[in-house]
Amino acid sequence: MTAQARRFLSQFQLLDLRPSRPKPTLVPPLPPVEIQQREAVRNLRAALDPAIARNVISATELIRALEKTRREDFLPTAIDALDALLGGGLRRGKVVELVSRRAVGRFSIVMSTLAAATSIGEAAALIDVSDHFDPQIADVAGVDLRRLLWVRPKTMKQAVMAAEMITVTGFQLVVLDAGLHPVRGRRAPDAAWVRLARAAEAHGAAMLVSTPYPFTGTTSEAVVRGEKARVKWLGQGKSPRLLVEVTTNFRLEKHRHMKPGAPATCDLRPAIS
């Protein structure tokens, strides 16, 4: 027993907590909180008439009020039927999932949303898992490429990680397109979607997740599902036909603040005809 005790002490010398060793401390100490400005605003309000004092706010309160107002705004998709289905568009700070097996309708909505956001001066990011994005077509569709970050991950796990990092940097629109079925790579864990939704909420970013089947689970505020699609072609016989229009029916499958089940019909036209 004595030999075993010596061996134990020799193996775990780092756990020696003798009183002679100093305890770790935080260096440097935390800086004091400055409250002079708050006291100045309080004194100013006390000296004014109560009706006027209620309208006097500090810079911090003004920033918080503007941030709260901005969180209540929507980023439109520029598709009237879909914006009406979502109550105004993509809400800032929330995740909206667009689910459809047909990639044509989904990616057209993605392109329209990017064009709508970048045209009003917002910075947008596209996480393109299947590498379907074409900059030339996007330019014709109205996307301001100077305000767009294009990321091409190889798996869904990488895509969710990239979306979270980009959201933290301040992009106001983050679009994750998973491409066609089957999706490349394994599904991202549920905890990754939770972190992504929290990042969007914390930084006020509108997030659109375009997938062939549901991914986000309970983390999304709304889920819109594409049901039927009708394709209109120009040309007959053996001559090459030209895609003119895609009519897609969507249904609000889930929404935290609206009654689900409402339908919408979107007429989507190609950018180049």
Side-chain angles (χ1 to χ4, degrees):
M1 295 298 293
T2 304
Q4 293 179 359
R6 290 198 193 98
R7 189 179 300 111
F8 180 83
L9 291 175
S10 63
Q11 291 177 356
F12 297 92
Q13 293 180 359
L14 295 177
L15 299 179
D16 188 5
L17 301 178
R18 291 175 294 182
S20 59
R21 296 196 176 191
K23 295 182 179 180
T25 57
L26 291 176
V27 179
L30 297 177
V33 179
E34 299 290 340
I35 60 174
Q36 288 82 359
Q37 186 177 4
R38 186 178 302 175
E39 291 179 355
V41 174
R42 189 183 301 112
N43 295 334
L44 179 61
R45 287 172 176 169
L48 295 175
D49 182 83
I52 301 177
R54 285 194 295 267
N55 298 324
V56 177
I57 61 175
S58 65
T60 302
E61 293 171 341
L62 178 60
I63 293 174
R64 290 177 179 175
L66 292 175
E67 184 67 18
K68 182 180 179 180
T69 303
R70 189 176 186 183
R71 294 293 180 86
E72 296 174 353
D73 290 343
F74 293 87
L75 279 179
T77 64
I79 300 176
D80 296 337
L82 187 59
D83 288 339
L85 194 66
L86 294 172
L90 304 178
R91 186 185 294 272
R92 296 181 187 269
K94 302 300 180 181
V95 178
V96 174
E97 186 173 19
L98 179 63
V99 182
S100 177
R101 287 292 182 127
R102 292 182 175 270
V104 177
R106 282 195 293 112
F107 207 73
S108 298
I109 293 175
V110 167
M111 198 77 72
S112 177
T113 304
L114 294 175
T118 56
S119 64
I120 61 175
E122 296 286 9
L126 172 61
I127 316 297
D128 188 11
V129 179
S130 58
D131 200 10
H132 284 166
F133 182 74
D134 189 329
Q136 294 181 351
I137 296 179
D139 188 27
V140 175
V143 179
D144 188 351
L145 300 178
R146 298 170 299 178
R147 298 184 178 274
L148 178 65
L149 175 64
W150 182 22
V151 183
R152 296 182 288 178
K154 296 182 179 180
T155 63
M156 276 300 298
K157 184 177 181 180
Q158 294 177 357
V160 176
M161 293 174 59
E164 182 180 0
M165 290 187 291
I166 290 171
T167 302
V168 173
T169 61
F171 280 80
Q172 289 302 299
L173 173 64
V174 179
V175 179
L176 194 160
D177 184 75
L180 298 171
H181 173 80
V183 177
R184 289 160 50 181
R186 297 181 179 179
R187 288 195 178 190
D190 294 339
W193 294 107
V194 173
R195 291 195 305 267
L196 186 59
R198 289 179 178 176
E201 177 71 24
H203 297 276
M207 188 166 296
L208 176 64
V209 180
S210 171
T211 61
Y213 36 80
F215 276 167
T216 60
T218 59
T219 61
S220 58
E221 182 187 57
V223 176
V224 178
R225 182 179 291 275
E227 295 181 334
K228 296 180 181 179
R230 297 186 302 274
V231 180
K232 183 178 180 181
W233 298 90
L234 182 62
Q236 297 178 354
K238 298 182 179 180
S239 60
R241 295 191 298 171
L242 185 65
L243 178 63
V244 176
E245 184 179 80
V246 178
T247 301
T248 306
N249 296 330
F250 290 97
R251 179 174 55 86
L252 186 63
E253 189 171 88
K254 163 197 166 184
H255 201 291
R256 292 181 180 177
H257 306 289
M258 298 173 60
K259 184 178 180 180
T265 302
C266 303
D267 296 329
L268 306 173
R269 295 176 177 85
I272 299 178
S273 60

